[in-house]
Amino acid sequence: MSFGASGVGSHPGEDHFEALRVVFGELPDLPYLPELPARGVGADLVGRTAALLVELPVEVQPSGWRLASRPGRDHRRAVDHLARDLDGLEEVADGYEGPLKLQVCGPWTLAAAIELRHGDKMLSDQGAVRDLTASLVQGVTDHVESVRRRVPGVTEIVLQLDEPGLPGVLAGTVPTASGFGRLAPVEEWRAEEALRLFPDPVVHCCAPRVPIAMLRRAGVRAVSLDASMLSRRDEEPIGEAIEAGVNFFLGVLPGLDSSLPDVKVIAKTATDLWQRLGFAAEDLQNRVVLTPTCGLAGASPAYAKAALGRLRETAKALRGD
């Protein structure tokens, strides 16, 4: 896995063609299909992924996304956003050959966000979670096949599951639909079981307390996290995961506008961690991908482009060091 640098997924603005041009221009090692939540309903993390669900239409209520009896305006809007993005991908990636990353909301964050038609969140019902996961697996499979048809030069699809809600799901801190209670924690074996249904995923979680050991047991390809949130107690499970063959997407640049550090400063975040873990320095470039700490939706377009370019430069420096 020698991808060097990539992004998490979301971008500022509403111009999907420009976002695609930035991604493919700045991240030739591992470009991705960007998400633009500023476009509104259906372009957000949950709505965009809900557009992929098979036979589980959704709609927007005052409390958020909810299962619906039939596809309505909100569902169609999400589908239309994704369709336009795929049209743009087909045009911008014409002639491209190499890997491509696709991001979708993971099953646990999705279950904690979508409500049942007449009840609490889907997370409160184990049967509903199983149905949601099966629908998402099929939807992702169809999505990957569609991308491969549109961009025949893609040599590999890297699937990223965005799971910012996973720590809360496991800890039992997800609020009920009413907001007055908390849903029961999900056993780790259930979380592992669901994640194993997805083909060799990267799991992204920019929240505190990333369950690294559980993700290792789930057999994920890589864990994507915010390096600034790591503490020394995280280093043992990270080391065990690396020894087990798990790779890491390491968030080393802020997702919001800030002064961009020098390449050497950014590289030091990765090399210092690698040295503390005691692994051979020459393995770093094959086991770690540099990314922003989280999505870039809240950044300015200029910062987003500059940040991705700086990550590319840093990855190049690490390869040559």
Side-chain angles (χ1 to χ4, degrees):
M1 188 198 74
S2 184
F3 295 140
S6 190
V8 172
S10 65
H11 273 244
E14 301 181 30
D15 188 339
H16 61 288
F17 276 106
E18 178 59 22
L20 280 162
R21 284 191 285 266
V22 167
V23 167
F24 276 83
E26 300 298 336
L27 298 171
D29 291 337
L30 185 58
Y32 53 93
L33 180 62
E35 304 154 358
L36 280 71
R39 292 180 295 186
V41 173
D44 58 291
L45 175 64
V46 174
R48 184 178 179 85
T49 301
L52 300 174
L53 296 176
V54 177
E55 298 182 354
L56 283 179
V58 295
E59 62 185 3
V60 175
Q61 295 293 325
S63 56
W65 287 97
R66 179 181 294 177
L67 292 181
S69 57
R70 63 181 62 85
R73 180 183 60 184
D74 301 324
H75 187 91
R76 288 194 297 271
R77 188 177 297 171
V79 171
D80 288 346
H81 280 313
L82 183 57
R84 284 194 295 272
D85 289 349
L86 291 175
D87 289 343
L89 174 67
E90 187 173 359
E91 180 175 330
V92 174
D94 183 33
Y96 171 75
E97 294 185 0
L100 179 72
K101 183 163 72 71
L102 301 175
Q103 308 84 220
V104 301
C105 186
W108 294 106
T109 298
L110 205 61
I114 299 178
E115 296 178 4
L116 298 163
R117 291 179 196 171
H118 305 291
D120 213 321
K121 294 178 179 179
M122 297 188 77
L123 185 64
S124 66
D125 184 324
Q126 292 182 13
V129 173
R130 285 194 295 271
D131 291 344
L132 176 68
T133 303
S135 176
L136 181 58
V137 169
Q138 184 58 58
V140 166
T141 300
D142 296 344
H143 183 44
V144 168
E145 290 176 355
S146 175
V147 170
R148 286 192 179 280
R149 287 194 302 269
R150 287 171 173 267
V151 192
V154 169
T155 57
E156 176 185 7
I157 296 288
V158 178
L159 175 65
Q160 177 180 304
L161 301 177
D162 288 325
E163 285 283 15
L166 183 58
V169 166
L170 297 175
T173 60
V174 177
T176 58
S178 68
F180 294 113
R182 295 290 182 271
L183 296 177
V186 170
E187 300 95 328
E188 286 197 352
W189 69 267
R190 292 188 188 278
E192 293 175 31
E193 192 176 66
L195 293 174
R196 284 184 180 278
L197 297 175
F198 296 86
D200 205 21
V202 176
V203 174
H204 169 70
C205 182
C206 53
R209 305 185 307 279
V210 178
I212 296 168
M214 185 278 286
L215 294 174
R216 169 178 57 79
R217 293 193 299 270
V220 304
R221 172 182 192 161
V223 177
S224 172
L225 44 73
D226 179 349
S228 68
M229 290 188 177
L230 295 178
S231 65
R232 289 302 175 97
R233 67 173 177 271
D234 295 313
E235 293 183 4
E236 182 176 349
I238 289 176
E240 292 172 348
I242 292 172
E243 289 179 342
V246 179
N247 300 305
F248 279 82
F249 283 50
L250 203 59
V252 293
L253 278 184
L256 298 174
D257 288 28
S258 61
S259 177
L260 287 175
D262 181 81
V263 164
K264 291 182 178 180
V265 175
I266 302 171
K268 194 173 187 297
T269 302
T271 56
D272 283 359
L273 173 62
W274 202 252
Q275 289 171 0
R276 289 198 303 273
L277 294 173
F279 293 108
E282 58 269 20
D283 290 339
L284 173 62
Q285 62 178 300
N286 296 319
R287 304 299 302 276
V288 172
V289 177
L290 303 180
T291 71
T293 56
C294 206
L296 295 166
S300 66
Y303 176 83
K305 185 177 188 298
L308 296 182
R310 188 62 54 89
L311 289 170
R312 171 178 46 79
E313 294 167 0
T314 305
K316 182 178 179 181
L318 285 174
R319 284 196 295 266
D321 190 353

